[in-house]
Amino acid sequence: MSELKNIYLDNNATTRVDERVLNAMLPYFTDFYANSTGAHLAGLTVKEAVENAAWQVADLINADAKEIVFTSGATEAINLAIKGLTDQNRKHIVTIQTEHKAVLETCRFMESNGYEVTYLPIGADGLLDIQLLEEIITDKTLVFIGMFSNNETGVIQNSRAISKILKNKNVLFMCDATQAVGKIQVDVKELGIDFLTLSAHKYYGPKGIGALYVSAKSKIKLSPQIVGGGQQRKLRSGTLNVPGIIGLGKASEIAVNELEKDKNRIYLLREKLEKGLLKFEGSFINGNTANRIYNTSNICFPGVNSEQLILALGDISVSNGASCSAVTSEPSHVLKAMGLSDELALSSIRFSLGRFTTAEEIDTAVERVLELAAEFATKTQRH
């Protein structure tokens, strides 16, 4: 076996910053450091760069720059969209049990503020029953909140079919596309999405910067959650994180140009990974394999404690849940919602590949995971 050095297969948690993104950001720490609200030449220069970044982000999702609100990340964007959307006549929210905790906990907050929230179940393959969604909507339903691609399993919901139902019933569509934007084609106009959240660090940009897309066509009035300055059309006050915004813009520009190249290469690497790992007796993939993002593989290794395996892997980085709780003794709420027992959920590991993953790393990871999994399974059988 080749010498082990950091093998990072947890790209759904975060990604390495692309050097081209870093190089684009650096001058905005040292040379172009003026506040973008300044009326002087230095401030106007920075303001122009921020506006250009907004266009780069908008281009990635087929939106208009004026529909982009910069945030500290997807979690803030989710909070702004859900908490900021108020309607005294329609106080029913519909979402899915397998959403990210940023959505689920914000929905619980809305429940404590007089809203009714329906948490729809999903099938064993991780997909939502579209008919069930149609049946649950009433004339009091304000918004449906659904992921584009699940962060743990990679399962892609049928956003087009969902959107069609919502439009027919005059219900808003908020899409958490944090795990999809920058990896696969996401077109807000084609899909009829009213709100969309994204985060730079999921596609080779910096942490601490994200965005909320708010459809101009939908004529949505949002209440700001951060006030005091009125920046960004009074939707989100505070001094802009200019270097981060430049990084988000550059990461978006690169994604537009290299999306297909990344997709084709990473897909083949994931196929290689799964072919190797599924040699473990009884192992299986969690989630629908036909409707899944190309970089993600969630595999159950029955009889193996995933937490112990992850720790034993050392410099090979993988996870057994959402990035907010990568090593946890609690079974994944996503896998539980798909019908897995606690034991099987706690025997599952998420592998998420990225732009910098190599074939050699996959070979090494497969060899090491199989070796350790067999060792742990044998110990379990003895006990």
Side-chain angles (χ1 to χ4, degrees):
M1 187 171 69
S2 60
E3 184 185 347
L4 194 62
K5 37 191 184 183
N6 293 318
I7 295 176
Y8 188 77
L9 300 177
D10 197 20
N11 286 274
N12 282 10
T14 195
T15 57
R16 173 178 139 194
V17 174
D18 192 298
E19 284 187 23
R20 292 168 291 179
V21 171
L22 179 60
N23 290 334
M25 292 172 65
L26 288 175
Y28 292 87
F29 287 106
T30 55
D31 299 328
F32 305 108
Y33 52 84
N35 196 318
S36 60
T37 57
H40 40 70
L41 181 60
L44 293 172
T45 301
V46 172
K47 182 182 179 183
E48 186 179 352
V50 167
E51 289 173 348
N52 181 61
W55 278 112
Q56 290 171 316
V57 175
D59 185 42
L60 180 59
I61 60 172
N62 191 26
D64 189 283
K66 291 179 181 178
E67 297 173 306
I68 302 298
V69 181
F70 293 116
T71 65
S72 63
T75 296
E76 186 196 332
I78 286 165
N79 274 262
L80 172 56
I82 299 175
K83 293 178 181 176
L85 187 64
T86 55
D87 187 327
Q88 295 309 311
N89 298 314
R90 294 193 293 166
K91 303 193 78 168
H92 179 223
I93 295 170
V94 181
T95 189
I96 308 174
Q97 292 177 0
T98 50
E99 291 300 297
H100 191 279
K101 287 184 179 178
V103 165
L104 297 177
E105 290 182 17
T106 307
C107 283
R108 291 188 189 106
F109 170 86
M110 297 300 284
E111 285 182 290
S112 69
N113 281 269
Y115 280 74
E116 178 192 353
V117 181
T118 301
Y119 301 89
L120 293 176
I122 42 94
D125 61 356
L127 288 171
L128 174 68
D129 182 340
I130 302 296
Q131 188 177 345
L132 183 60
L133 170 63
E134 190 165 18
E135 291 169 357
I136 207 73
I137 291 173
T138 71
D139 58 357
K140 299 294 183 185
T141 306
L142 175 61
V143 62
F144 168 77
I145 306 160
M147 269 186 183
F148 197 104
S149 170
N150 188 270
N151 52 309
E152 293 191 32
T153 62
V155 169
I156 296 173
Q157 298 294 340
N158 190 343
S159 294
R160 190 171 280 100
I162 288 170
S163 179
K164 187 176 180 182
I165 289 170
L166 299 177
K167 290 292 171 276
N168 287 339
K169 293 183 175 281
N170 195 32
V171 173
L172 294 169
F173 184 11
M174 178 190 154
C175 183
D176 175 9
T178 310
Q179 292 292 345
V181 170
K183 299 176 189 173
I184 57 177
Q185 193 72 43
V186 179
D187 187 323
V188 291
K189 288 188 172 64
E190 182 194 348
L191 294 171
I193 293 170
D194 299 296
F195 299 102
L196 179 139
T197 60
L198 59 89
S199 194
H201 77 103
K202 301 296 186 181
Y203 59 104
Y204 318 103
K207 296 174 181 65
I209 186 69
L212 172 66
Y213 157 79
V214 183
S215 168
K217 182 182 177 183
S218 302
K219 294 182 169 56
I220 302 160
K221 184 169 175 56
L222 278 182
S223 299
Q225 300 304 298
I226 300 175
V227 297
Q231 291 92 336
Q232 300 200 73
R233 302 180 301 285
K234 297 184 179 180
L235 281 173
R236 197 264 192 181
S237 294
T239 302
L240 294 179
N241 171 10
V242 174
I245 289 170
I246 299 304
L248 173 60
K250 186 63 177 179
S252 299
E253 178 188 71
I254 293 169
V256 167
N257 295 326
E258 300 184 7
L259 192 141
E260 284 302 315
K261 183 178 80 170
D262 280 348
K263 178 181 176 181
N264 294 335
R265 194 185 70 84
I266 295 169
Y267 170 78
L268 292 175
L269 290 178
R270 190 194 63 183
E271 291 293 293
K272 181 183 180 72
L273 174 82
E274 290 182 345
K275 184 179 179 182
L277 292 179
L278 291 174
K279 290 177 181 176
F280 182 84
E281 187 177 353
S283 62
F284 58 89
I285 296 169
N286 291 313
N288 188 295
T289 55
N291 297 282
R292 186 173 49 138
I293 200 162
Y294 60 84
N295 80 311
T296 305
S297 183
N298 193 305
I299 300 179
C300 181
F301 301 93
V304 178
N305 182 291
S306 60
E307 186 175 344
Q308 292 179 347
L309 180 55
I310 289 167
L311 292 172
L313 283 169
D315 287 339
I316 300 178
S317 301
V318 295
S319 72
N320 61 350
S323 57
C324 302
S325 52
V327 178
T328 172
S329 299
E330 291 292 318
S332 156
H333 75 282
V334 172
L335 299 182
K336 289 277 289 175
M338 290 165 59
L340 266 69
S341 65
D342 284 4
E343 185 181 359
L344 289 176
L346 289 169
S347 296
S348 298
I349 290 182
R350 180 187 71 183
F351 302 85
S352 46
L353 287 57
R355 182 177 291 163
F356 304 108
T357 306
T358 67
E360 183 184 15
E361 289 175 335
I362 295 298
D363 288 336
T364 303
V366 167
E367 182 181 349
R368 187 74 178 133
V369 170
L370 288 178
E371 179 186 317
L372 286 169
E375 186 181 314
F376 285 127
T378 302
K379 286 181 181 177
T380 301
Q381 288 166 5
R382 284 176 187 161
H383 288 89

Short mmCIF file of all heavy atoms in Angstrom, two decimals, residues 124-125 152-153 273-289 292 296-304 335-336 338-351 370:
data_model
loop_
_atom_site.label_atom_id
_atom_site.label_comp_id
_atom_site.label_asym_id
_atom_site.label_seq_id
_atom_site.Cartn_x
_atom_site.Cartn_y
_atom_site.Cartn_z
N ALA A 124 -38.25 4.70 0.78
CA ALA A 124 -37.00 4.03 1.14
C ALA A 124 -35.85 4.45 0.24
O ALA A 124 -34.68 4.33 0.61
CB ALA A 124 -37.19 2.51 1.05
N ASP A 125 -36.17 4.98 -0.95
CA ASP A 125 -35.13 5.43 -1.87
C ASP A 125 -34.77 6.91 -1.68
O ASP A 125 -33.95 7.46 -2.39
CB ASP A 125 -35.55 5.18 -3.32
CG ASP A 125 -36.82 5.94 -3.71
OD1 ASP A 125 -37.42 6.61 -2.85
OD2 ASP A 125 -37.20 5.85 -4.89
N GLU A 152 -26.68 14.12 2.50
CA GLU A 152 -26.15 12.86 3.01
C GLU A 152 -26.15 11.73 1.98
O GLU A 152 -25.22 10.93 1.94
CB GLU A 152 -26.94 12.43 4.25
CG GLU A 152 -26.73 13.35 5.43
CD GLU A 152 -27.30 12.78 6.72
OE1 GLU A 152 -27.30 11.54 6.89
OE2 GLU A 152 -27.74 13.58 7.57
N THR A 153 -27.19 11.67 1.16
CA THR A 153 -27.30 10.56 0.20
C THR A 153 -27.06 11.00 -1.24
O THR A 153 -26.83 10.16 -2.10
CB THR A 153 -28.71 9.93 0.27
OG1 THR A 153 -29.68 10.93 -0.09
CG2 THR A 153 -29.01 9.42 1.68
N LEU A 273 -14.99 3.89 -6.90
CA LEU A 273 -15.09 3.77 -5.45
C LEU A 273 -16.15 2.74 -5.06
O LEU A 273 -15.89 1.84 -4.25
CB LEU A 273 -15.44 5.13 -4.85
CG LEU A 273 -15.72 5.16 -3.34
CD1 LEU A 273 -14.42 5.22 -2.57
CD2 LEU A 273 -16.60 6.35 -2.96
N GLU A 274 -17.34 2.86 -5.66
CA GLU A 274 -18.43 1.97 -5.29
C GLU A 274 -18.16 0.54 -5.73
O GLU A 274 -18.49 -0.41 -4.99
CB GLU A 274 -19.74 2.49 -5.90
CG GLU A 274 -20.22 3.77 -5.24
CD GLU A 274 -21.55 4.28 -5.78
OE1 GLU A 274 -21.99 3.81 -6.86
OE2 GLU A 274 -22.15 5.15 -5.12
N LYS A 275 -17.57 0.39 -6.88
CA LYS A 275 -17.25 -0.97 -7.36
C LYS A 275 -16.34 -1.68 -6.36
O LYS A 275 -16.50 -2.88 -6.08
CB LYS A 275 -16.57 -0.90 -8.73
CG LYS A 275 -16.28 -2.26 -9.35
CD LYS A 275 -15.63 -2.12 -10.72
CE LYS A 275 -15.31 -3.48 -11.32
NZ LYS A 275 -14.62 -3.36 -12.64
N GLY A 276 -15.42 -0.93 -5.80
CA GLY A 276 -14.49 -1.51 -4.82
C GLY A 276 -15.15 -1.76 -3.48
O GLY A 276 -15.06 -2.86 -2.91
N LEU A 277 -15.86 -0.77 -2.95
CA LEU A 277 -16.40 -0.87 -1.59
C LEU A 277 -17.56 -1.84 -1.49
O LEU A 277 -17.76 -2.46 -0.43
CB LEU A 277 -16.85 0.52 -1.11
CG LEU A 277 -15.73 1.53 -0.88
CD1 LEU A 277 -16.31 2.86 -0.43
CD2 LEU A 277 -14.72 1.02 0.14
N LEU A 278 -18.31 -2.01 -2.57
CA LEU A 278 -19.46 -2.92 -2.51
C LEU A 278 -19.04 -4.39 -2.53
O LEU A 278 -19.89 -5.29 -2.49
CB LEU A 278 -20.43 -2.62 -3.65
CG LEU A 278 -21.18 -1.28 -3.51
CD1 LEU A 278 -22.02 -0.99 -4.73
CD2 LEU A 278 -22.04 -1.26 -2.24
N LYS A 279 -17.73 -4.63 -2.55
CA LYS A 279 -17.23 -6.00 -2.40
C LYS A 279 -17.38 -6.47 -0.96
O LYS A 279 -17.30 -7.66 -0.67
CB LYS A 279 -15.76 -6.08 -2.83
CG LYS A 279 -15.55 -5.91 -4.34
CD LYS A 279 -14.08 -5.92 -4.70
CE LYS A 279 -13.90 -5.72 -6.22
NZ LYS A 279 -12.46 -5.62 -6.58
N PHE A 280 -17.57 -5.51 -0.04
CA PHE A 280 -17.79 -5.88 1.36
C PHE A 280 -19.11 -6.62 1.47
O PHE A 280 -20.14 -6.13 0.99
CB PHE A 280 -17.79 -4.63 2.24
CG PHE A 280 -17.95 -4.93 3.71
CD1 PHE A 280 -16.85 -5.26 4.48
CD2 PHE A 280 -19.21 -4.92 4.30
CE1 PHE A 280 -17.00 -5.55 5.83
CE2 PHE A 280 -19.37 -5.21 5.65
CZ PHE A 280 -18.25 -5.52 6.42
N GLU A 281 -19.11 -7.77 2.09
CA GLU A 281 -20.29 -8.63 2.14
C GLU A 281 -21.48 -7.92 2.78
O GLU A 281 -21.39 -7.39 3.89
CB GLU A 281 -19.98 -9.90 2.92
CG GLU A 281 -21.12 -10.92 2.86
CD GLU A 281 -20.78 -12.23 3.57
OE1 GLU A 281 -19.61 -12.39 4.00
OE2 GLU A 281 -21.69 -13.07 3.70
N GLY A 282 -22.60 -7.89 2.06
CA GLY A 282 -23.83 -7.32 2.59
C GLY A 282 -23.96 -5.82 2.45
O GLY A 282 -24.99 -5.23 2.80
N SER A 283 -22.92 -5.17 1.93
CA SER A 283 -22.95 -3.71 1.81
C SER A 283 -23.95 -3.27 0.73
O SER A 283 -24.23 -4.01 -0.21
CB SER A 283 -21.56 -3.16 1.48
OG SER A 283 -21.11 -3.67 0.23
N PHE A 284 -24.47 -2.06 0.89
CA PHE A 284 -25.42 -1.54 -0.09
C PHE A 284 -25.42 -0.01 -0.06
O PHE A 284 -25.01 0.61 0.91
CB PHE A 284 -26.84 -2.08 0.16
CG PHE A 284 -27.40 -1.76 1.52
CD1 PHE A 284 -28.11 -0.58 1.76
CD2 PHE A 284 -27.22 -2.66 2.58
CE1 PHE A 284 -28.63 -0.30 3.02
CE2 PHE A 284 -27.75 -2.38 3.85
CZ PHE A 284 -28.45 -1.19 4.06
N ILE A 285 -25.90 0.57 -1.17
CA ILE A 285 -25.97 2.03 -1.29
C ILE A 285 -27.30 2.52 -0.75
O ILE A 285 -28.35 1.97 -1.06
CB ILE A 285 -25.82 2.45 -2.77
CG1 ILE A 285 -24.43 2.07 -3.30
CG2 ILE A 285 -26.05 3.96 -2.93
CD1 ILE A 285 -24.28 2.21 -4.79
N ASN A 286 -27.24 3.54 0.07
CA ASN A 286 -28.45 4.17 0.59
C ASN A 286 -28.95 5.22 -0.40
O ASN A 286 -28.20 6.10 -0.81
CB ASN A 286 -28.18 4.85 1.93
CG ASN A 286 -27.90 3.86 3.05
OD1 ASN A 286 -28.62 2.89 3.22
ND2 ASN A 286 -26.82 4.10 3.80
N GLY A 287 -30.23 5.11 -0.77
CA GLY A 287 -30.81 6.12 -1.65
C GLY A 287 -30.95 5.66 -3.08
O GLY A 287 -30.35 4.67 -3.52
N ASN A 288 -31.75 6.38 -3.81
CA ASN A 288 -32.01 6.07 -5.21
C ASN A 288 -30.76 6.29 -6.05
O ASN A 288 -30.22 7.40 -6.09
CB ASN A 288 -33.15 6.98 -5.70
CG ASN A 288 -33.64 6.61 -7.08
OD1 ASN A 288 -32.91 6.72 -8.05
ND2 ASN A 288 -34.89 6.19 -7.16
N THR A 289 -30.29 5.26 -6.71
CA THR A 289 -29.03 5.37 -7.45
C THR A 289 -29.21 5.98 -8.84
O THR A 289 -28.24 6.41 -9.46
CB THR A 289 -28.37 3.98 -7.60
OG1 THR A 289 -29.31 3.07 -8.19
CG2 THR A 289 -27.93 3.45 -6.25
N ARG A 292 -29.39 10.72 -8.42
CA ARG A 292 -28.39 11.00 -7.40
C ARG A 292 -27.30 11.86 -7.99
O ARG A 292 -26.91 11.69 -9.15
CB ARG A 292 -27.82 9.66 -6.90
CG ARG A 292 -26.87 9.73 -5.74
CD ARG A 292 -26.51 8.34 -5.24
NE ARG A 292 -26.11 7.43 -6.30
CZ ARG A 292 -25.09 6.57 -6.21
NH1 ARG A 292 -24.36 6.51 -5.11
NH2 ARG A 292 -24.79 5.77 -7.21
N THR A 296 -21.55 11.82 -4.79
CA THR A 296 -21.91 11.34 -3.45
C THR A 296 -22.26 9.86 -3.44
O THR A 296 -22.99 9.38 -4.31
CB THR A 296 -23.11 12.15 -2.91
OG1 THR A 296 -22.79 13.53 -2.96
CG2 THR A 296 -23.44 11.75 -1.48
N SER A 297 -21.75 9.18 -2.41
CA SER A 297 -22.07 7.77 -2.22
C SER A 297 -22.23 7.51 -0.73
O SER A 297 -21.31 7.73 0.05
CB SER A 297 -20.95 6.88 -2.79
OG SER A 297 -21.29 5.52 -2.66
N ASN A 298 -23.42 7.06 -0.34
CA ASN A 298 -23.68 6.73 1.06
C ASN A 298 -23.84 5.22 1.14
O ASN A 298 -24.80 4.66 0.62
CB ASN A 298 -24.95 7.44 1.55
CG ASN A 298 -25.10 7.40 3.05
OD1 ASN A 298 -25.09 6.33 3.65
ND2 ASN A 298 -25.26 8.56 3.67
N ILE A 299 -22.88 4.56 1.78
CA ILE A 299 -22.83 3.10 1.76
C ILE A 299 -22.96 2.54 3.17
O ILE A 299 -22.33 3.03 4.12
CB ILE A 299 -21.52 2.60 1.13
CG1 ILE A 299 -21.41 3.10 -0.31
CG2 ILE A 299 -21.42 1.07 1.17
CD1 ILE A 299 -20.13 2.68 -1.02
N CYS A 300 -23.80 1.52 3.31
CA CYS A 300 -23.97 0.83 4.59
C CYS A 300 -23.09 -0.41 4.62
O CYS A 300 -23.09 -1.20 3.67
CB CYS A 300 -25.43 0.43 4.79
SG CYS A 300 -25.73 -0.41 6.36
N PHE A 301 -22.32 -0.54 5.69
CA PHE A 301 -21.47 -1.71 5.92
C PHE A 301 -22.03 -2.43 7.16
O PHE A 301 -21.61 -2.14 8.28
CB PHE A 301 -20.02 -1.29 6.17
CG PHE A 301 -19.40 -0.51 5.04
CD1 PHE A 301 -19.42 0.88 5.03
CD2 PHE A 301 -18.78 -1.17 3.98
CE1 PHE A 301 -18.85 1.60 4.00
CE2 PHE A 301 -18.21 -0.45 2.94
CZ PHE A 301 -18.25 0.94 2.95
N PRO A 302 -22.99 -3.34 6.96
CA PRO A 302 -23.64 -4.00 8.10
C PRO A 302 -22.63 -4.65 9.05
O PRO A 302 -21.67 -5.28 8.61
CB PRO A 302 -24.52 -5.06 7.43
CG PRO A 302 -24.80 -4.49 6.07
CD PRO A 302 -23.54 -3.81 5.68
N GLY A 303 -22.87 -4.44 10.34
CA GLY A 303 -21.99 -5.03 11.35
C GLY A 303 -20.77 -4.20 11.67
O GLY A 303 -19.94 -4.58 12.51
N VAL A 304 -20.63 -3.03 11.01
CA VAL A 304 -19.48 -2.16 11.24
C VAL A 304 -19.96 -0.85 11.85
O VAL A 304 -20.87 -0.21 11.33
CB VAL A 304 -18.74 -1.86 9.91
CG1 VAL A 304 -17.57 -0.91 10.15
CG2 VAL A 304 -18.26 -3.15 9.27
N LEU A 335 -31.33 8.92 7.09
CA LEU A 335 -31.38 7.46 6.89
C LEU A 335 -32.53 6.84 7.67
O LEU A 335 -33.17 5.89 7.21
CB LEU A 335 -30.05 6.82 7.27
CG LEU A 335 -28.83 7.29 6.47
CD1 LEU A 335 -27.58 6.55 6.90
CD2 LEU A 335 -29.05 7.12 4.97
N LYS A 336 -32.80 7.38 8.85
CA LYS A 336 -33.94 6.88 9.65
C LYS A 336 -35.25 7.14 8.90
O LYS A 336 -36.14 6.28 8.88
CB LYS A 336 -33.97 7.58 11.01
CG LYS A 336 -32.86 7.15 11.95
CD LYS A 336 -33.19 5.86 12.68
CE LYS A 336 -34.27 6.07 13.71
NZ LYS A 336 -34.67 4.80 14.35
N MET A 338 -35.65 7.18 5.84
CA MET A 338 -35.70 6.25 4.71
C MET A 338 -36.00 4.83 5.15
O MET A 338 -36.07 3.91 4.32
CB MET A 338 -34.37 6.31 3.94
CG MET A 338 -34.17 7.61 3.20
SD MET A 338 -32.45 7.88 2.65
CE MET A 338 -32.18 6.46 1.60
N GLY A 339 -36.16 4.64 6.46
CA GLY A 339 -36.57 3.33 6.96
C GLY A 339 -35.46 2.46 7.51
O GLY A 339 -35.71 1.32 7.91
N LEU A 340 -34.23 2.99 7.56
CA LEU A 340 -33.14 2.19 8.10
C LEU A 340 -33.26 2.09 9.62
O LEU A 340 -33.68 3.05 10.28
CB LEU A 340 -31.77 2.80 7.75
CG LEU A 340 -31.10 2.25 6.49
CD1 LEU A 340 -31.86 2.69 5.24
CD2 LEU A 340 -29.64 2.69 6.41
N SER A 341 -32.86 0.94 10.16
CA SER A 341 -32.82 0.78 11.61
C SER A 341 -31.67 1.61 12.17
O SER A 341 -30.78 2.04 11.43
CB SER A 341 -32.58 -0.70 11.96
OG SER A 341 -31.29 -1.11 11.51
N ASP A 342 -31.69 1.84 13.47
CA ASP A 342 -30.58 2.58 14.10
C ASP A 342 -29.25 1.90 13.80
O ASP A 342 -28.25 2.56 13.50
CB ASP A 342 -30.78 2.65 15.62
CG ASP A 342 -31.84 3.66 16.03
OD1 ASP A 342 -32.47 4.24 15.13
OD2 ASP A 342 -32.04 3.85 17.24
N GLU A 343 -29.25 0.57 13.88
CA GLU A 343 -28.01 -0.19 13.68
C GLU A 343 -27.45 0.01 12.27
O GLU A 343 -26.26 0.26 12.09
CB GLU A 343 -28.27 -1.68 13.93
CG GLU A 343 -27.01 -2.53 13.85
CD GLU A 343 -27.28 -4.01 14.09
OE1 GLU A 343 -28.45 -4.37 14.33
OE2 GLU A 343 -26.32 -4.78 14.03
N LEU A 344 -28.33 -0.07 11.26
CA LEU A 344 -27.86 0.11 9.88
C LEU A 344 -27.48 1.56 9.60
O LEU A 344 -26.51 1.82 8.88
CB LEU A 344 -28.93 -0.36 8.89
CG LEU A 344 -29.16 -1.87 8.82
CD1 LEU A 344 -30.31 -2.20 7.86
CD2 LEU A 344 -27.88 -2.60 8.39
N ALA A 345 -28.22 2.50 10.18
CA ALA A 345 -27.89 3.91 9.99
C ALA A 345 -26.52 4.22 10.60
O ALA A 345 -25.74 4.99 10.03
CB ALA A 345 -28.95 4.79 10.64
N LEU A 346 -26.23 3.59 11.73
CA LEU A 346 -24.94 3.80 12.39
C LEU A 346 -23.82 2.97 11.77
O LEU A 346 -22.68 3.01 12.23
CB LEU A 346 -25.06 3.48 13.89
CG LEU A 346 -25.88 4.49 14.70
CD1 LEU A 346 -26.17 3.94 16.09
CD2 LEU A 346 -25.17 5.83 14.77
N SER A 347 -24.16 2.22 10.73
CA SER A 347 -23.15 1.45 9.99
C SER A 347 -22.94 2.04 8.59
O SER A 347 -22.32 1.42 7.73
CB SER A 347 -23.60 -0.01 9.85
OG SER A 347 -23.68 -0.63 11.12
N SER A 348 -23.45 3.25 8.37
CA SER A 348 -23.39 3.87 7.05
C SER A 348 -22.38 5.02 7.01
O SER A 348 -22.24 5.76 7.99
CB SER A 348 -24.77 4.40 6.64
OG SER A 348 -25.70 3.34 6.55
N ILE A 349 -21.72 5.14 5.88
CA ILE A 349 -20.70 6.18 5.71
C ILE A 349 -20.95 6.93 4.40
O ILE A 349 -21.26 6.32 3.37
CB ILE A 349 -19.28 5.56 5.70
CG1 ILE A 349 -18.93 5.06 7.10
CG2 ILE A 349 -18.23 6.57 5.24
CD1 ILE A 349 -17.54 4.46 7.22
N ARG A 350 -20.79 8.25 4.47
CA ARG A 350 -20.91 9.08 3.26
C ARG A 350 -19.53 9.38 2.71
O ARG A 350 -18.65 9.86 3.43
CB ARG A 350 -21.62 10.40 3.59
CG ARG A 350 -21.76 11.32 2.37
CD ARG A 350 -22.30 12.67 2.75
NE ARG A 350 -21.33 13.48 3.49
CZ ARG A 350 -21.58 14.69 3.98
NH1 ARG A 350 -22.78 15.21 3.84
NH2 ARG A 350 -20.66 15.35 4.63
N PHE A 351 -19.36 9.09 1.44
CA PHE A 351 -18.15 9.45 0.70
C PHE A 351 -18.56 10.53 -0.30
O PHE A 351 -19.46 10.31 -1.11
CB PHE A 351 -17.59 8.24 -0.06
CG PHE A 351 -17.27 7.05 0.82
CD1 PHE A 351 -18.26 6.14 1.17
CD2 PHE A 351 -15.98 6.85 1.29
CE1 PHE A 351 -17.97 5.05 1.98
CE2 PHE A 351 -15.68 5.76 2.10
CZ PHE A 351 -16.68 4.86 2.45
N LEU A 370 -11.95 -1.30 3.19
CA LEU A 370 -12.28 -2.73 3.18
C LEU A 370 -11.51 -3.49 4.26
O LEU A 370 -12.07 -4.35 4.95
CB LEU A 370 -11.99 -3.34 1.81
CG LEU A 370 -12.92 -2.95 0.66
CD1 LEU A 370 -12.47 -3.59 -0.65
CD2 LEU A 370 -14.36 -3.35 0.97
#
